[in-house]
Amino acid sequence: MLKAVIIDSSAIARGLLNTVLLDGGYDVVGQSHTCAAGLTLLIKYNPQIVCIAKELVEDSPEEVREIRTKWPKTLIFMMSSELDAATIQSAHAMGISGFIVKPFKADTVLNTIRNVVIAMVKRQRAALAKAQADAAGTEASPAAEDKDGEAAAG
């Protein structure tokens, strides 16, 4: 079960998203109304998912960058009722993984998170396969030559 932390100044929004995530099978380990308190929850619980309100991202971009630096594998979702291209672009540059639109629709929220998790797993598998292929290629190169430095006939 993936652990999640919700950071939003609106208690109503936190409660609604908490319900959606719990019903969707996520373990909401903490909720906060400020980024500073949210960082404390991250230190304590080391969640895989952080949902943070747009206004808090804009008010505390350095704390979002800190989350990205200290918890590089954590998926960060920005929540907002209004998302424009410039906001999305700057959020991606900060390390935001995905976007959740308010008001929350349970199936949309869960599909968004699921799709980002699947994309992350695919990227990790591709990187691992590439690393293994590179390692195999590095190991195979010296073995392809015999002790005289000539290519071995196979």
Side-chain angles (χ1 to χ4, degrees), residues 1-71:
M1 181 179 300
L2 296 177
K3 295 182 286 187
V5 167
I6 301 169
I7 306 171
D8 195 323
S9 56
S10 167
I12 294 170
R14 288 194 314 268
L16 290 171
L17 186 58
N18 181 62
T19 300
V20 169
L21 293 175
L22 288 173
D23 289 350
Y26 295 93
D27 181 16
V28 179
V29 293
Q31 299 180 35
S32 169
H33 66 288
T34 66
C35 283
L39 286 172
T40 303
L41 293 171
L42 285 161
I43 292 166
K44 183 174 182 178
Y45 295 108
N46 197 28
Q48 292 84 18
I49 297 170
V50 174
C51 300
I52 183 169
K54 175 185 172 190
E55 63 273 6
L56 295 176
V57 170
E58 292 172 343
D59 292 344
S60 306
E62 65 283 348
E63 290 177 336
V64 174
R65 287 187 186 94
E66 183 178 350
I67 293 170
R68 179 53 54 229
T69 302
K70 291 184 177 178
W71 295 274

Side-chain angles (χ1 to χ4, degrees), residues 16 34 36 43-44 67 77 85 87 102 107 119-120 139 144 146:
L16 290 171
T34 66
I43 292 166
K44 183 174 182 178
I67 293 170
F77 291 88
T87 301
K102 293 178 181 180
D107 58 338
M120 181 196 66
E139 293 169 9
D146 66 8

Side-chain angles (χ1 to χ4, degrees), residues 134-154:
D134 290 348
T138 304
E139 293 169 9
S141 295
E145 296 182 9
D146 66 8
K147 63 184 174 201
D148 295 329
E150 297 177 13

Side-chain angles (χ1 to χ4, degrees), residues 108-153:
T108 304
V109 170
L110 297 174
N111 282 334
T112 297
I113 293 172
R114 184 179 63 85
N115 289 339
V116 171
V117 169
I118 289 169
M120 181 196 66
V121 169
K122 285 181 180 178
R123 281 192 305 271
Q124 287 178 339
R125 285 184 180 165
L128 180 61
K130 183 181 182 318
Q132 288 174 339
D134 290 348
T138 304
E139 293 169 9
S141 295
E145 296 182 9
D146 66 8
K147 63 184 174 201
D148 295 329
E150 297 177 13

